[in-house]
């Protein structure tokens, strides 16, 4: 009898198919074919670090951590709460974000540019006023800069902790530089281009961050009350624990998350590894003699 047995292959395909539909949406198969099979130049060649990071299952934990971290900027939180619909349609938002990441990372240059133009048009329309009277505009380069550094920092931390093949220091510097290319296209001014610059830029935003009521409610929604089937609650809890462990200690404190002792934090990281490995197993290609199910290459959730 071959290994793995047919029942295991079938289980993997069912789990992988359900996860793919959740992340990529009803047109995911067509979108994936367009991204990977359309000939033409790409922004990033197959050797670039951004392909390694964005093609790994660690993006699921990184995306959740990015949402939590980004919520700490009151202007970004106000824009998301008023315009993104993430509570009413979280899966739709995830699908749009995943598609954007996939297109800009793996798709043709023309397709990537069209995706950026669509996002910039949306950002141009997103404007308003916070509850304390401060104006926000999603196309503000400074606000876009916060969204970018919080996202890239979270993706990088996740890949270091949970990635199948973590990069060396030069590789992660290359990842930050690759991500800067997309950030500039979106309107970010002078995005960081290496890990040291990323850390300094993140620190520079600290004075603007606040664990507001809206940010803490978002954390509770994402960590305790996600819109997922009951069968997925336990795996999601492991993923959530792993995502929280990625956050800087000051971010956990501002979000009202408990500052756990070292053994509990280690357990959270173990949970993140288990969840990520489970996703990677479900999305892995089957053996050559099994029915093929292509690997998911649309990355994880992030707030765009």
């Amino acid at each position: 009898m071959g290994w793995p047995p047919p029942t295991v292959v079938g289980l993997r395909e069912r789990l992988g198919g359900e996860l793919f539909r959740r992340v990529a949406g009803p047109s995911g198969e067509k979108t994936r074919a367009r991204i990977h099979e359309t000939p033409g130049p790409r922004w990033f060649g197959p050797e670039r670090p951004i392909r390694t990071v964005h093609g790994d299952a660690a993006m699921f934990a990184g995306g959740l951590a990015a949402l939590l971290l980004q919520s700490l900027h009151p202007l970004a939180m106000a824009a998301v709460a008023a315009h993104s619909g993430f509570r009413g349609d979280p899966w739709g938002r995830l699908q749009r974000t995943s598609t954007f990441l996939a297109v800009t990372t793996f798709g043709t240059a023309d397709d990537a540019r069209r995706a950026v133009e669509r996002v910039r048009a949306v950002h141009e329309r997103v404007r308003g006023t916070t509850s304390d009277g401060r104006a926000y505009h999603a196309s503000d380069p400074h606000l876009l800069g916060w969204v970018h550094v919080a996202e890239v920092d979270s993706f990088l931390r996740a890949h270091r902790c949970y990635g199948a093949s973590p990069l060396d220091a030069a590789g992660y510097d290359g990842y930050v530089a690759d991500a800067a290319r997309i950030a500039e296209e979106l309107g970010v001014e002078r995005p960081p281009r290496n890990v040291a610059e990323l850390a300094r830029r993140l620190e520079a935003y600290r004075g603007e961050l606040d664990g507001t009521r809206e940010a803490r409610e978002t954390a509770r929604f994402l960590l305790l009350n996600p819109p997922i089937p009951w069968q997925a609650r336990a795996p999601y809890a492991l993923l959530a624990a792993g995502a929280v462990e990625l956050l800087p200690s000051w971010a956990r404190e501002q979000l009202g998350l408990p500052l756990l002792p070292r053994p509990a934090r280690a357990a959270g990281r173990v949970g993140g590894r288990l969840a990520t490995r489970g996703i990677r197993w479900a999305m892995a290609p089957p053996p050559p003699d099994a029915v093929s199910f292509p690997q998911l290459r649309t990355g994880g959730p992030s707030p765009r």
Side-chain angles (χ1 to χ4, degrees), residues 81 84-90 93 214 216-221 227:
S84 77
F86 82 99
R87 283 182 181 269
D89 183 24
R93 179 167 176 77
E214 292 83 1
R216 294 188 176 206
E217 287 178 353
T218 295
R220 286 194 293 272
F221 174 75

Side-chain angles (χ1 to χ4, degrees), residues 184-264:
E184 285 182 324
E185 295 281 350
L186 287 168
V188 177
E189 296 177 351
R190 299 181 301 280
R193 296 187 177 278
N194 57 55
V195 174
E197 288 181 10
L198 177 65
R200 288 194 294 269
R201 194 69 59 85
L202 190 68
E203 182 66 22
Y205 278 98
R206 286 278 304 277
E208 302 174 34
L209 307 182
D210 186 17
T212 60
R213 177 179 59 82
E214 292 83 1
R216 294 188 176 206
E217 287 178 353
T218 295
R220 286 194 293 272
F221 174 75
L222 292 172
L223 299 175
L224 301 178
N225 301 299
I228 57 176
W230 67 266
Q231 300 95 325
R233 292 277 171 166
Y236 185 87
L238 295 176
L239 184 70
V244 169
E245 175 55 24
L246 297 173
L247 294 172
S249 58
W250 51 263
R252 293 197 297 270
E253 184 175 4
Q254 286 188 310
L255 288 169
L257 302 175
L259 300 180
L260 301 173
R262 184 172 296 179

Side-chain angles (χ1 to χ4, degrees), residues 1-2 13 27 31 38 49 64 78 80 88 120 126 134 140 151 153 160 178 219 243 250 254 263 271 288 296 304:
M1 183 169 68
E13 290 187 358
S27 59
T31 300
T38 302
L64 183 53
V80 168
R120 293 193 70 148
V126 174
R134 286 182 290 172
D140 173 14
E151 179 178 274
D153 184 76
R160 276 177 169 164
D178 288 346
W250 51 263
Q254 286 188 310
L296 175 67
R304 280 284 184 211

Side-chain angles (χ1 to χ4, degrees), residues 44-60:
F44 308 105
E47 78 289 350
R48 293 307 305 165
I50 195 170
R51 286 189 166 223
T52 301
V53 175
H54 288 181
D56 192 276
M59 287 286 284
F60 285 83

Side-chain angles (χ1 to χ4, degrees), residues 66-277:
L67 285 170
L68 294 167
L69 186 58
Q70 288 169 335
S71 73
L72 287 173
H73 198 296
L75 300 186
M77 185 66 250
V80 168
H83 299 275
S84 77
F86 82 99
R87 283 182 181 269
D89 183 24
W91 290 110
R93 179 167 176 77
L94 171 60
Q95 290 155 13
R96 292 188 294 273
T97 299
S98 298
T99 299
F100 178 84
L101 286 170
V103 169
T104 52
T105 303
F106 302 102
T108 65
D110 288 343
D111 207 5
R113 191 159 288 108
R114 285 191 292 268
V116 166
E117 289 171 356
R118 287 192 294 270
V119 171
R120 293 193 70 148
V122 171
H123 285 171
E124 188 59 36
R125 297 193 297 269
V126 174
R127 61 181 75 212
T129 306
T130 65
S131 58
D132 59 0
R134 286 182 290 172
Y136 62 80
H137 188 190
S139 65
D140 173 14
H142 183 72
L143 194 57
L144 286 171
W146 162 250
V147 172
H148 173 69
V149 298
E151 179 178 274
V152 172
D153 184 76
S154 298
F155 291 167
L156 191 154
R157 288 172 183 256
H159 196 266
R160 276 177 169 164
C161 289
Y162 310 131
S165 301
L167 304 174
D168 59 14
Y172 284 120
D173 280 340
Y175 169 63
V176 177
D178 288 346
R181 164 72 189 275
I182 301 173
E184 285 182 324
E185 295 281 350
L186 287 168
V188 177
E189 296 177 351
R190 299 181 301 280
R193 296 187 177 278
N194 57 55
V195 174
E197 288 181 10
L198 177 65
R200 288 194 294 269
R201 194 69 59 85
L202 190 68
E203 182 66 22
Y205 278 98
R206 286 278 304 277
E208 302 174 34
L209 307 182
D210 186 17
T212 60
R213 177 179 59 82
E214 292 83 1
R216 294 188 176 206
E217 287 178 353
T218 295
R220 286 194 293 272
F221 174 75
L222 292 172
L223 299 175
L224 301 178
N225 301 299
I228 57 176
W230 67 266
Q231 300 95 325
R233 292 277 171 166
Y236 185 87
L238 295 176
L239 184 70
V244 169
E245 175 55 24
L246 297 173
L247 294 172
S249 58
W250 51 263
R252 293 197 297 270
E253 184 175 4
Q254 286 188 310
L255 288 169
L257 302 175
L259 300 180
L260 301 173
R262 184 172 296 179
R265 293 189 59 191
R269 188 158 293 195
V270 170
R273 290 195 186 100
L274 289 173
T276 304
R277 288 172 182 172

